[in-house]
Amino acid sequence: MKMVFRWYGEGNDTVSLRQIKQIPGVEGIVWALHDVPVGEEWPLDKIRRYKELADEYGFHLEVVESVNIHEDIKLGLPSRDVYIENYKRTIEKLATVGVKVICYNFMPVFDWIRTDLYREMEDGATALFYEKAKVDAMDPDELVRLIAGNSNFTMAGWEPERLRQLAPLFEAYKSVTTEDLWKHLEYFLERIVPVAEANGIRMALHPDDPPWPIFGLPRIMTNRDSISRLLQLVDSPSNGVTLCSGSLGANPDNDIAAMVREFAHRIPFAHIRNVRHYENGDFIESSHRASDGSLDICDIVKAYHENGFQGYVRPDHGRHIWDEQCRPGYGLYDRALGIMYLWGVWDSLEREKKGKKG
């Protein structure tokens, strides 16, 4: 596996490239142009600036997360073709700096959803938390104030220009069914995947987070069957999935290790993190250690190892520990600990494999 680390860029992250360089085994940064409005073509000069920064520390830029999808594409509006053309040109530009994987999602209106960005845990650490009853009773505008109200950082997936149109968007989605959303995704992929293929890039769709409908909006990337359907929409190595153990793992019915074993050949990018479930439907993001959460992270890593996984892996959301002041879920310390835990499991499996061969 190839270990990478998400970085939000100059002036938009508390973690520096110098610090990331000191985490063993990290070879690339996962990046994006967070200041470019969704749907616009990415400027080549800004792309090259990231290349210069990465080169200074010996990192590659092979994974982008995310080139987000304009709502007109998800809604299937006639204007979607303009945004799809912009997306194609962005793919071509990204290929010039060595990008191999583009992570994206197809969630209507909202990206990831939590009700508490810094919920205190038993040991004094804080973490992202989802309270089911609160979401069920919450108004969408209240959620926007909670998530997008963090003024210190851009919040990926919560772009201000989109959220300012919240009421019209909800109205527009009233007529969009789950099947409609699948058709709109297929339309997008049929036009994008050939361009990705031509440029040596694999598209990797991120699951819905959490993997169930929110506020009556359709959500389609939620389980094993939806991954299978995605991969059949356009049967190409350039049409893949970002398998996020935490997003899919928020639903206790999802067997993440089984998904890895079934779809490993179509997973160019993996997010590995743990969550702890509660019986009332709440969940909190724990440390990466298997025994600290509800997911068997050891078996998930083993599933990748069994399949000779050579894709990209990053530790996903971490806790906020040792009084670190950072963007929600994206501090330095706990993600670095997560990397060392993942390497520990992987290295043990490697040693066991070599021992059997010997």
Side-chain angles (χ1 to χ4, degrees), residues 207-219:
D208 300 339
D209 185 10
W212 50 73
I214 302 288
F215 301 125
L217 296 168
R219 287 196 161 197

Side-chain angles (χ1 to χ4, degrees), residues 31 47 115 119 132 326:
W31 63 289
I47 293 172
T115 54
R119 171 61 68 96
K132 183 180 184 299
C326 57

Side-chain angles (χ1 to χ4, degrees), residues 71 190 216 220 276 294 315:
E71 293 297 323
E190 286 175 343
I220 57 177
R276 187 193 308 163
S294 301

